[in-house]
Amino acid sequence: MLLYPAGFSFASLKSDLSKAMSQDGASQFQEVIRQELELSVKKELEKILTTASSHEFEHTKKDLDGFRKLFHRFLQEKGPSVDWGKIQRPPEDSIQPYEKIKARGLPDNISSVLNKLVVVKLNGGLGTSMGCKGPKSLIGVRNENTFLDLTVQQIEHLNKTYNTDVPLVLMNSFNTDEDTKKILQKYNHCRVKIYTFNQSRYPRINKESLLPVAKDVSYSGENTEAWYPPGHGDIYASFYNSGLLDTFIGEGKEYIFVSNIDNLGATVDLYILNHLMNPPNGKRCEFVMEVTNKTRADVKGGTLTQYEGKLRLVEIAQVPKAHVDEFKSVSKFKIFNTNNLWISLAAVKRLQEQNAIDMEIIVNAKTLDGGLNVIQLETAVGAAIKSFENSLGINVPRSRFLPVKTTSDLLLVMSNLYSLNAGSLTMSEKREFPTVPLVKLGSSFTKVQDYLRRFESIPDMLELDHLTVSGDVTFGKNVSLKGTVIIIANHGDRIDIPPGAVLENKIVSGNLRILDH
């Protein structure tokens, strides 16, 4: 199954053949073309491998072998759609409410349960979408603390509180590995063992010829854009290949808790872990996906369905166009994937060695700086749920999904809506309702540097429902925002919200300058 972004098409031989040939002789002819294309790609990859130094050779070979397998599947499989008629709502017992899991309480031996856990954070992304250089995990999000600082604080707190040895593992990409390793030295004295491994490095392919763009293994100079990390679905193979999987199994670890490092709500949950280790029916789950209720902001999120007798994650890119509105329906598909996942180490090892982890291919089209159109083949970690036995969804509170993708999200987590304790953010008790305000900051706030310059201090947002800011707007110290506040500076105008201002259910537009004198 291939996942294409909306509107995607590529003028490759593959699709041309499908349309141009009649069904009878076409499949045979297509097979010949496919084989020739695979042979051409194999030769190109072999050429690239000859440029690897002796210390690069082994891991480069593993990467290129992994790419070849993915490319082979890409050529074999057809169509972006799932069979919509086979999609069913999951059975009641396959998605458990968190409250039911929590109601079981915790055993006296919770420390020994915790010692079976490894925390894995997906740390392959850069901060470019927020105007920052280097790994996104090194952006300051709260009181000078970065995503990585908060993660280390959370796990250190666990280890100190329960006298345990829960390690932290970072899945880096070639984009983030070097900078991350430099920073890790500062945690040497923390009570957390930190390990890293790299996800694979795959070659981007020319959209027309479907051949790799890279000519050698380097990823600097002309080759900077020739390589990419192939999505977080690569975790299974990379974790296995790194040797860490076997190391942890040898140490008696049994589960990994995997989440995005920019999801500040993804903390270790003792109730879920206890449910995994001590299941009420005696049958352990190999894979648990945390889901949460959709709001109108989440209609594009992947959802759990029943498909051919198994739990399956369905993403919007898989949905036939005629059914997209139905997929987005909050009433029919009520939940979405948070990408907080609990996975059995033994099951990963078994499935990896059987080559039995099945994930849909995501076809991601890009245009390089020089104008060359390329595609990159990716997979997503949650899509593997259908390959595991006895999988389960747990419908968790929204507080476990607190991603920081934009400066609008950053404003929320920096504000007094949340309090920080041992690396964990919790909604302030002073907020009267549990929902998070809807915040939309305009393009003048996109980059973290610009965003910080526009706020002398973060406003009081305890009573805020909705904030929209557009244009050249700045905020003085100790501003308070309540209800619905919309501030729009038209092109050429500037609005300075004065220090100490209280805006409640206000629309501010036009031009408002505060001059020092």
Side-chain angles (χ1 to χ4, degrees):
M1 180 86 43
L2 304 179
L3 275 66
Y4 297 83
F8 174 83
S9 68
F10 64 81
S12 70
L13 201 49
K14 180 186 173 192
S15 59
D16 284 345
L17 278 169
S18 306
K19 293 173 191 169
M21 303 293 294
S22 66
Q23 287 301 309
D24 294 342
S27 58
Q28 207 174 352
F29 187 61
Q30 280 180 302
E31 187 52 40
V32 172
I33 295 295
R34 267 201 293 268
Q35 287 173 6
E36 285 185 6
L37 190 49
E38 284 204 60
L39 192 61
S40 300
V41 166
K42 184 184 175 202
K43 285 178 181 171
E44 289 295 314
L45 296 178
E46 284 169 353
K47 277 188 211 166
I48 291 170
L49 189 58
T50 61
T51 69
S53 63
S54 55
H55 78 276
E56 292 174 309
F57 186 86
E58 202 52 48
H59 69 81
T60 302
K61 186 175 187 307
K62 279 182 182 171
D63 285 353
L64 296 182
D65 285 348
F67 174 76
R68 265 186 66 197
K69 283 181 191 168
L70 195 61
F71 186 74
H72 173 78
R73 279 182 51 213
F74 165 68
L75 292 182
Q76 294 292 332
E77 296 173 8
K78 289 185 178 70
S81 311
V82 289
D83 183 343
W84 192 254
K86 291 183 179 178
I87 286 182
Q88 298 171 309
R89 281 188 183 177
E92 284 294 314
D93 60 349
S94 66
I95 300 180
Q96 297 274 343
Y98 176 76
E99 293 70 28
K100 186 178 173 184
I101 306 284
K102 190 174 181 179
R104 293 183 62 211
L106 295 174
D108 295 335
N109 68 335
I110 194 65
S111 295
S112 63
V113 172
L114 259 174
N115 273 326
K116 302 292 186 185
L117 181 69
V118 176
V119 174
V120 180
K121 291 288 183 181
L122 305 173
N123 186 46
L126 293 167
T128 42
S129 64
M130 294 171 74
C132 297
K133 288 182 178 175
K136 185 176 182 183
S137 58
L138 306 185
I139 294 174
V141 286
R142 181 82 187 212
N143 305 351
E144 307 290 307
N145 288 299
T146 65
F147 291 104
L148 186 53
D149 290 335
L150 295 177
T151 302
V152 172
Q153 287 168 28
Q154 288 164 21
I155 300 173
E156 182 176 46
H157 178 67
L158 267 183
N159 285 336
K160 284 180 173 175
T161 304
Y162 297 99
N163 192 27
T164 51
D165 181 25
V166 177
L168 169 63
V169 180
L170 301 173
M171 181 169 88
N172 299 337
S173 68
F174 65 89
N175 290 319
T176 63
D177 188 52
E178 197 177 322
D179 288 337
T180 301
K181 280 180 174 167
K182 283 178 191 167
I183 291 290
L184 289 183
Q185 296 168 19
K186 82 184 219 187
Y187 306 116
N188 283 347
H189 302 294
C190 294
R191 190 170 162 179
V192 184
K193 285 182 189 161
I194 303 177
Y195 302 83
T196 65
F197 70 97
N198 266 14
Q199 65 187 114
S200 306
R201 181 165 70 100
Y202 283 2
R204 286 178 167 143
I205 51 180
N206 185 309
K207 191 172 166 182
E208 299 300 325
S209 69
L210 296 185
L211 295 177
V213 175
K215 299 301 173 203
D216 58 57
V217 295
S218 71
Y219 46 97
S220 56
E222 287 182 8
N223 248 9
T224 308
E225 293 188 298
W227 301 90
Y228 71 99
H232 42 55
D234 184 57
I235 186 172
Y236 304 105
S238 295
F239 193 39
Y240 180 87
N241 290 337
S242 72
L244 283 173
L245 178 65
D246 282 334
T247 299
F248 290 131
I249 289 174
E251 290 176 2
K253 305 291 187 190
E254 295 186 29
Y255 280 94
I256 50 175
F257 171 48
V258 181
S259 63
N260 298 346
I261 200 159
D262 65 5
N263 179 6
L264 294 176
T267 57
V268 172
D269 187 280
L270 299 178
Y271 299 101
I272 295 176
L273 179 61
N274 180 50
H275 186 82
L276 286 167
M277 295 297 297
N278 303 302
N281 63 0
K283 190 179 178 190
R284 284 201 180 177
C285 298
E286 291 188 346
F287 194 112
V288 164
M289 176 180 287
E290 292 184 35
V291 296
T292 196
N293 292 341
K294 271 186 184 181
T295 66
R296 302 233 174 268
D298 314 304
V299 290
K300 293 183 178 178
T303 194
L304 269 186
T305 63
Q306 176 92 341
Y307 195 90
E308 296 180 338
K310 287 209 139 187
L311 272 186
R312 178 163 178 163
L313 180 66
V314 175
E315 302 282 0
I316 193 164
Q318 286 170 271
V319 177
K321 273 186 184 171
H323 297 282
V324 165
D325 286 342
E326 193 180 340
F327 175 84
K328 287 181 176 179
S329 159
V330 178
S331 56
K332 178 159 186 182
F333 296 104
K334 293 180 164 64
I335 47 141
F336 72 98
N337 169 30
T338 64
N339 220 36
N340 301 347
L341 308 167
W342 304 75
I343 310 170
S344 157
L345 287 168
V348 173
K349 181 177 170 67
R350 181 189 79 240
L351 291 169
Q352 192 58 36
E353 289 177 349
Q354 292 172 354
N355 197 25
I357 295 181
D358 179 20
M359 295 171 283
E360 289 76 23
I361 297 172
I362 302 162
V363 181
N364 199 345
K366 300 266 184 187
T367 302
L368 304 187
D369 285 346
L372 181 68
N373 291 325
V374 297
I375 55 176
Q376 52 191 51
L377 307 178
E378 303 175 7
T379 54
V381 58
I385 189 169
K386 63 180 178 290
S387 302
F388 290 81
E389 294 301 318
N390 202 26
S391 297
L392 180 70
I394 297 180
N395 191 341
V396 297
R398 181 75 184 203
S399 57
R400 292 192 56 73
F401 184 67
L402 188 57
V404 180
K405 303 290 183 191
T406 64
T407 49
S408 300
D409 300 329
L410 193 56
L411 180 62
L412 289 168
V413 299
M414 291 177 98
S415 76
N416 59 348
L417 286 165
Y418 293 95
S419 52
L420 179 65
N421 181 30
S424 298
L425 288 179
T426 48
M427 180 74 80
S428 169
E429 290 175 2
K430 293 177 184 172
R431 177 142 174 107
E432 290 181 8
F433 21 87
T435 54
V436 177
L438 187 62
V439 173
K440 294 179 182 174
L441 299 179
S443 56
S444 303
F445 292 79
T446 302
K447 294 182 176 178
V448 172
Q449 200 175 348
D450 295 338
Y451 153 86
L452 291 172
R453 187 172 51 77
R454 291 179 176 277
F455 288 98
E456 277 194 62
S457 68
I458 303 298
D460 170 358
M461 294 165 53
L462 280 174
E463 295 177 46
L464 180 69
D465 296 323
H466 179 125
L467 173 68
T468 295
V469 183
S470 177
D472 186 1
V473 179
T474 63
F475 292 78
K477 281 187 177 173
N478 303 321
V479 170
S480 183
L481 305 172
K482 302 180 180 188
T484 296
V485 178
I486 299 170
I487 306 168
I488 298 172
N490 295 322
H491 184 68
D493 290 343
R494 176 169 149 186
I495 295 176
D496 294 331
I497 303 300
V502 177
L503 300 181
E504 183 168 4
N505 295 323
K506 286 279 189 290
I507 297 176
V508 182
S509 63
N511 202 18
L512 177 64
R513 300 293 295 273
I514 307 296
L515 301 174
D516 290 331
H517 56 141

Short mmCIF file of all heavy atoms in Angstrom, two decimals, residues 77-121:
data_model
loop_
_atom_site.label_atom_id
_atom_site.label_comp_id
_atom_site.label_asym_id
_atom_site.label_seq_id
_atom_site.Cartn_x
_atom_site.Cartn_y
_atom_site.Cartn_z
N GLU A 77 3.94 -2.43 -5.53
CA GLU A 77 2.61 -2.12 -5.00
C GLU A 77 1.91 -1.04 -5.81
O GLU A 77 2.54 -0.20 -6.41
CB GLU A 77 2.73 -1.71 -3.52
CG GLU A 77 3.25 -2.86 -2.67
CD GLU A 77 3.55 -2.46 -1.25
OE1 GLU A 77 3.21 -1.33 -0.86
OE2 GLU A 77 4.14 -3.28 -0.52
N LYS A 78 0.59 -1.08 -5.74
CA LYS A 78 -0.19 -0.15 -6.54
C LYS A 78 -1.17 0.62 -5.67
O LYS A 78 -1.67 0.11 -4.69
CB LYS A 78 -1.01 -0.92 -7.59
CG LYS A 78 -0.18 -1.52 -8.71
CD LYS A 78 -1.12 -2.12 -9.73
CE LYS A 78 -0.35 -2.70 -10.91
NZ LYS A 78 0.39 -3.90 -10.55
N GLY A 79 -1.40 1.86 -6.09
CA GLY A 79 -2.54 2.60 -5.57
C GLY A 79 -2.35 3.24 -4.22
O GLY A 79 -1.71 2.69 -3.35
N PRO A 80 -2.93 4.43 -4.04
CA PRO A 80 -2.86 5.09 -2.75
C PRO A 80 -3.97 4.67 -1.79
O PRO A 80 -3.93 4.98 -0.63
CB PRO A 80 -3.04 6.57 -3.12
CG PRO A 80 -3.85 6.54 -4.37
CD PRO A 80 -3.50 5.27 -5.08
N SER A 81 -4.97 3.95 -2.29
CA SER A 81 -6.20 3.78 -1.50
C SER A 81 -6.23 2.48 -0.71
O SER A 81 -5.62 1.49 -1.09
CB SER A 81 -7.42 3.78 -2.42
OG SER A 81 -7.37 4.88 -3.29
N VAL A 82 -6.97 2.52 0.41
CA VAL A 82 -7.36 1.28 1.07
C VAL A 82 -8.74 0.91 0.50
O VAL A 82 -9.40 1.75 -0.10
CB VAL A 82 -7.46 1.45 2.60
CG1 VAL A 82 -6.10 1.60 3.23
CG2 VAL A 82 -8.37 2.59 2.98
N ASP A 83 -9.12 -0.33 0.68
CA ASP A 83 -10.46 -0.74 0.27
C ASP A 83 -11.44 -0.21 1.32
O ASP A 83 -11.57 -0.80 2.41
CB ASP A 83 -10.51 -2.27 0.16
CG ASP A 83 -11.86 -2.76 -0.34
OD1 ASP A 83 -12.84 -1.97 -0.30
OD2 ASP A 83 -11.95 -3.93 -0.74
N TRP A 84 -12.09 0.89 1.00
CA TRP A 84 -12.91 1.59 1.99
C TRP A 84 -14.02 0.69 2.55
O TRP A 84 -14.40 0.80 3.71
CB TRP A 84 -13.51 2.86 1.38
CG TRP A 84 -14.11 3.78 2.39
CD1 TRP A 84 -15.43 4.00 2.63
CD2 TRP A 84 -13.40 4.58 3.33
NE1 TRP A 84 -15.59 4.90 3.66
CE2 TRP A 84 -14.36 5.28 4.10
CE3 TRP A 84 -12.05 4.80 3.61
CZ2 TRP A 84 -14.01 6.17 5.12
CZ3 TRP A 84 -11.70 5.68 4.61
CH2 TRP A 84 -12.68 6.35 5.36
N GLY A 85 -14.49 -0.20 1.71
CA GLY A 85 -15.57 -1.10 2.15
C GLY A 85 -15.15 -2.04 3.27
O GLY A 85 -15.99 -2.58 3.99
N LYS A 86 -13.84 -2.26 3.42
CA LYS A 86 -13.35 -3.18 4.46
C LYS A 86 -13.07 -2.48 5.78
O LYS A 86 -12.76 -3.12 6.78
CB LYS A 86 -12.06 -3.87 3.99
CG LYS A 86 -12.26 -4.85 2.85
CD LYS A 86 -10.93 -5.53 2.53
CE LYS A 86 -11.09 -6.54 1.41
NZ LYS A 86 -9.78 -7.15 1.07
N ILE A 87 -13.13 -1.16 5.77
CA ILE A 87 -12.82 -0.41 7.00
C ILE A 87 -14.02 -0.46 7.94
O ILE A 87 -15.13 -0.14 7.57
CB ILE A 87 -12.45 1.05 6.68
CG1 ILE A 87 -11.06 1.09 6.06
CG2 ILE A 87 -12.49 1.92 7.92
CD1 ILE A 87 -10.56 2.47 5.75
N GLN A 88 -13.74 -0.91 9.17
CA GLN A 88 -14.81 -0.98 10.18
C GLN A 88 -14.36 -0.28 11.44
O GLN A 88 -13.16 -0.09 11.67
CB GLN A 88 -15.09 -2.44 10.50
CG GLN A 88 -15.59 -3.25 9.32
CD GLN A 88 -15.66 -4.74 9.66
OE1 GLN A 88 -14.70 -5.31 10.16
NE2 GLN A 88 -16.80 -5.34 9.40
N ARG A 89 -15.34 0.11 12.24
CA ARG A 89 -14.98 0.64 13.55
C ARG A 89 -14.34 -0.48 14.37
O ARG A 89 -14.79 -1.62 14.30
CB ARG A 89 -16.24 1.15 14.28
CG ARG A 89 -16.68 2.51 13.79
CD ARG A 89 -17.78 3.02 14.67
NE ARG A 89 -18.30 4.30 14.19
CZ ARG A 89 -19.30 4.94 14.73
NH1 ARG A 89 -19.91 4.42 15.78
NH2 ARG A 89 -19.71 6.10 14.24
N PRO A 90 -13.34 -0.15 15.19
CA PRO A 90 -12.71 -1.19 16.00
C PRO A 90 -13.70 -1.75 17.02
O PRO A 90 -14.58 -1.03 17.50
CB PRO A 90 -11.57 -0.46 16.72
CG PRO A 90 -11.42 0.84 16.02
CD PRO A 90 -12.73 1.16 15.40
N PRO A 91 -13.60 -3.03 17.36
CA PRO A 91 -14.46 -3.59 18.41
C PRO A 91 -14.28 -2.82 19.72
O PRO A 91 -13.20 -2.28 19.98
CB PRO A 91 -13.94 -5.03 18.56
CG PRO A 91 -13.14 -5.31 17.34
CD PRO A 91 -12.65 -4.00 16.83
N GLU A 92 -15.32 -2.80 20.53
CA GLU A 92 -15.32 -2.01 21.78
C GLU A 92 -14.09 -2.29 22.64
O GLU A 92 -13.47 -1.39 23.15
CB GLU A 92 -16.58 -2.33 22.59
CG GLU A 92 -17.85 -1.67 22.05
CD GLU A 92 -17.82 -0.15 22.15
OE1 GLU A 92 -17.44 0.35 23.22
OE2 GLU A 92 -18.14 0.53 21.17
N ASP A 93 -13.76 -3.57 22.79
CA ASP A 93 -12.68 -3.91 23.73
C ASP A 93 -11.29 -3.67 23.17
O ASP A 93 -10.29 -3.85 23.86
CB ASP A 93 -12.82 -5.37 24.20
CG ASP A 93 -12.74 -6.35 23.05
OD1 ASP A 93 -12.80 -5.90 21.88
OD2 ASP A 93 -12.60 -7.57 23.30
N SER A 94 -11.19 -3.29 21.88
CA SER A 94 -9.86 -3.09 21.29
C SER A 94 -9.31 -1.69 21.55
O SER A 94 -8.14 -1.43 21.31
CB SER A 94 -9.89 -3.38 19.79
OG SER A 94 -10.69 -2.42 19.14
N ILE A 95 -10.17 -0.77 21.99
CA ILE A 95 -9.70 0.55 22.43
C ILE A 95 -10.24 0.79 23.83
O ILE A 95 -11.43 1.00 24.03
CB ILE A 95 -10.14 1.67 21.46
CG1 ILE A 95 -9.57 1.42 20.06
CG2 ILE A 95 -9.67 3.04 21.99
CD1 ILE A 95 -9.93 2.45 19.03
N GLN A 96 -9.37 0.72 24.81
CA GLN A 96 -9.77 0.81 26.21
C GLN A 96 -9.71 2.26 26.69
O GLN A 96 -8.77 2.98 26.35
CB GLN A 96 -8.82 -0.02 27.08
CG GLN A 96 -8.83 -1.50 26.78
CD GLN A 96 -9.92 -2.23 27.54
OE1 GLN A 96 -10.45 -1.74 28.52
NE2 GLN A 96 -10.25 -3.43 27.08
N PRO A 97 -10.68 2.70 27.49
CA PRO A 97 -10.58 4.04 28.08
C PRO A 97 -9.47 4.06 29.14
O PRO A 97 -9.32 3.11 29.91
CB PRO A 97 -11.95 4.27 28.72
CG PRO A 97 -12.57 2.93 28.85
CD PRO A 97 -11.92 2.01 27.86
N TYR A 98 -8.71 5.14 29.15
CA TYR A 98 -7.60 5.28 30.10
C TYR A 98 -8.09 5.14 31.55
O TYR A 98 -7.41 4.56 32.40
CB TYR A 98 -6.92 6.63 29.89
CG TYR A 98 -5.80 6.92 30.89
CD1 TYR A 98 -4.56 6.30 30.76
CD2 TYR A 98 -6.00 7.79 31.95
CE1 TYR A 98 -3.53 6.56 31.66
CE2 TYR A 98 -4.98 8.05 32.86
CZ TYR A 98 -3.76 7.43 32.72
OH TYR A 98 -2.75 7.68 33.63
N GLU A 99 -9.29 5.67 31.81
CA GLU A 99 -9.83 5.64 33.18
C GLU A 99 -9.93 4.19 33.70
O GLU A 99 -9.67 3.92 34.87
CB GLU A 99 -11.23 6.28 33.23
CG GLU A 99 -11.25 7.77 32.96
CD GLU A 99 -10.93 8.14 31.51
OE1 GLU A 99 -11.21 7.32 30.60
OE2 GLU A 99 -10.36 9.23 31.29
N LYS A 100 -10.27 3.28 32.80
CA LYS A 100 -10.39 1.86 33.18
C LYS A 100 -9.01 1.28 33.52
O LYS A 100 -8.86 0.50 34.46
CB LYS A 100 -11.02 1.08 32.02
CG LYS A 100 -11.34 -0.36 32.34
CD LYS A 100 -12.01 -1.04 31.15
CE LYS A 100 -12.19 -2.52 31.39
NZ LYS A 100 -12.74 -3.20 30.20
N ILE A 101 -8.00 1.68 32.74
CA ILE A 101 -6.62 1.22 32.97
C ILE A 101 -6.12 1.77 34.32
O ILE A 101 -5.51 1.06 35.12
CB ILE A 101 -5.68 1.71 31.84
CG1 ILE A 101 -6.19 1.30 30.45
CG2 ILE A 101 -4.24 1.28 32.07
CD1 ILE A 101 -6.01 -0.12 30.07
N LYS A 102 -6.43 3.05 34.56
CA LYS A 102 -5.95 3.72 35.78
C LYS A 102 -6.65 3.16 37.02
O LYS A 102 -6.04 3.06 38.09
CB LYS A 102 -6.20 5.23 35.67
CG LYS A 102 -5.55 6.04 36.76
CD LYS A 102 -5.69 7.54 36.52
CE LYS A 102 -5.01 8.32 37.64
NZ LYS A 102 -5.10 9.77 37.44
N ALA A 103 -7.90 2.78 36.86
CA ALA A 103 -8.69 2.31 38.01
C ALA A 103 -8.11 1.04 38.65
O ALA A 103 -8.39 0.74 39.81
CB ALA A 103 -10.14 2.05 37.58
N ARG A 104 -7.29 0.32 37.90
CA ARG A 104 -6.69 -0.89 38.45
C ARG A 104 -5.64 -0.57 39.52
O ARG A 104 -5.23 -1.45 40.28
CB ARG A 104 -6.02 -1.70 37.33
CG ARG A 104 -6.98 -2.29 36.32
CD ARG A 104 -6.24 -3.14 35.31
NE ARG A 104 -5.57 -4.27 35.95
CZ ARG A 104 -4.44 -4.81 35.50
NH1 ARG A 104 -3.84 -4.31 34.43
NH2 ARG A 104 -3.89 -5.83 36.11
N GLY A 105 -5.19 0.69 39.53
CA GLY A 105 -4.18 1.08 40.52
C GLY A 105 -2.80 0.57 40.16
O GLY A 105 -2.57 0.08 39.05
N LEU A 106 -1.89 0.67 41.10
CA LEU A 106 -0.51 0.25 40.87
C LEU A 106 -0.11 -0.82 41.89
O LEU A 106 -0.51 -0.76 43.04
CB LEU A 106 0.45 1.45 40.99
CG LEU A 106 0.28 2.56 39.94
CD1 LEU A 106 1.19 3.73 40.27
CD2 LEU A 106 0.57 2.04 38.54
N PRO A 107 0.71 -1.77 41.47
CA PRO A 107 1.15 -2.81 42.42
C PRO A 107 2.25 -2.27 43.34
O PRO A 107 2.83 -1.22 43.08
CB PRO A 107 1.72 -3.90 41.48
CG PRO A 107 2.19 -3.13 40.28
CD PRO A 107 1.26 -1.96 40.12
N ASP A 108 2.53 -3.00 44.39
CA ASP A 108 3.60 -2.59 45.31
C ASP A 108 4.97 -2.64 44.64
O ASP A 108 5.87 -1.89 44.99
CB ASP A 108 3.62 -3.51 46.55
CG ASP A 108 2.33 -3.35 47.37
OD1 ASP A 108 1.71 -2.26 47.28
OD2 ASP A 108 1.96 -4.30 48.08
N ASN A 109 5.10 -3.53 43.65
CA ASN A 109 6.42 -3.72 43.03
C ASN A 109 6.58 -2.87 41.78
O ASN A 109 7.19 -3.30 40.80
CB ASN A 109 6.64 -5.20 42.69
CG ASN A 109 5.69 -5.65 41.56
OD1 ASN A 109 4.63 -5.06 41.36
ND2 ASN A 109 6.07 -6.68 40.83
N ILE A 110 6.07 -1.65 41.78
CA ILE A 110 6.11 -0.81 40.57
C ILE A 110 7.56 -0.55 40.12
O ILE A 110 7.83 -0.39 38.94
CB ILE A 110 5.33 0.52 40.77
CG1 ILE A 110 5.10 1.22 39.42
CG2 ILE A 110 6.03 1.44 41.76
CD1 ILE A 110 4.22 0.49 38.46
N SER A 111 8.50 -0.56 41.06
CA SER A 111 9.91 -0.36 40.69
C SER A 111 10.41 -1.47 39.78
O SER A 111 11.09 -1.21 38.79
CB SER A 111 10.80 -0.29 41.94
OG SER A 111 10.46 0.84 42.71
N SER A 112 10.06 -2.71 40.11
CA SER A 112 10.52 -3.82 39.27
C SER A 112 9.85 -3.78 37.90
O SER A 112 10.43 -4.18 36.89
CB SER A 112 10.28 -5.16 39.96
OG SER A 112 8.90 -5.38 40.15
N VAL A 113 8.61 -3.27 37.84
CA VAL A 113 7.91 -3.09 36.56
C VAL A 113 8.62 -2.02 35.72
O VAL A 113 8.88 -2.20 34.53
CB VAL A 113 6.43 -2.71 36.81
CG1 VAL A 113 5.75 -2.34 35.50
CG2 VAL A 113 5.68 -3.87 37.47
N LEU A 114 8.97 -0.90 36.38
CA LEU A 114 9.67 0.19 35.68
C LEU A 114 11.01 -0.26 35.13
O LEU A 114 11.45 0.21 34.07
CB LEU A 114 9.89 1.36 36.65
CG LEU A 114 8.93 2.55 36.54
CD1 LEU A 114 9.20 3.54 37.66
CD2 LEU A 114 9.03 3.24 35.19
N ASN A 115 11.68 -1.15 35.84
CA ASN A 115 12.99 -1.63 35.39
C ASN A 115 12.93 -2.47 34.12
O ASN A 115 13.96 -2.81 33.55
CB ASN A 115 13.69 -2.41 36.51
CG ASN A 115 14.48 -1.49 37.43
OD1 ASN A 115 15.03 -0.48 36.99
ND2 ASN A 115 14.53 -1.82 38.71
N LYS A 116 11.71 -2.78 33.67
CA LYS A 116 11.55 -3.51 32.41
C LYS A 116 11.40 -2.56 31.21
O LYS A 116 11.21 -3.01 30.08
CB LYS A 116 10.30 -4.41 32.47
CG LYS A 116 10.30 -5.42 33.61
CD LYS A 116 11.35 -6.49 33.41
CE LYS A 116 11.24 -7.57 34.47
NZ LYS A 116 12.35 -8.55 34.35
N LEU A 117 11.45 -1.25 31.48
CA LEU A 117 11.11 -0.25 30.45
C LEU A 117 12.34 0.47 29.90
O LEU A 117 13.29 0.76 30.63
CB LEU A 117 10.15 0.79 31.05
CG LEU A 117 9.66 1.89 30.09
CD1 LEU A 117 8.73 1.31 29.02
CD2 LEU A 117 8.95 3.00 30.86
N VAL A 118 12.27 0.78 28.60
CA VAL A 118 13.25 1.65 27.93
C VAL A 118 12.44 2.78 27.28
O VAL A 118 11.44 2.52 26.61
CB VAL A 118 14.03 0.88 26.84
CG1 VAL A 118 14.96 1.81 26.07
CG2 VAL A 118 14.79 -0.29 27.44
N VAL A 119 12.87 4.03 27.47
CA VAL A 119 12.20 5.17 26.84
C VAL A 119 12.96 5.54 25.57
O VAL A 119 14.17 5.77 25.60
CB VAL A 119 12.13 6.38 27.79
CG1 VAL A 119 11.55 7.60 27.06
CG2 VAL A 119 11.29 6.05 29.02
N VAL A 120 12.24 5.57 24.44
CA VAL A 120 12.85 5.95 23.16
C VAL A 120 12.19 7.22 22.66
O VAL A 120 10.96 7.29 22.55
CB VAL A 120 12.69 4.83 22.10
CG1 VAL A 120 13.35 5.25 20.78
CG2 VAL A 120 13.30 3.52 22.58
N LYS A 121 12.99 8.23 22.36
CA LYS A 121 12.47 9.48 21.80
C LYS A 121 12.93 9.62 20.34
O LYS A 121 14.11 9.42 20.03
CB LYS A 121 12.97 10.69 22.60
CG LYS A 121 12.39 10.77 24.02
CD LYS A 121 10.92 11.16 24.01
CE LYS A 121 10.36 11.30 25.42
NZ LYS A 121 8.93 11.65 25.42
#
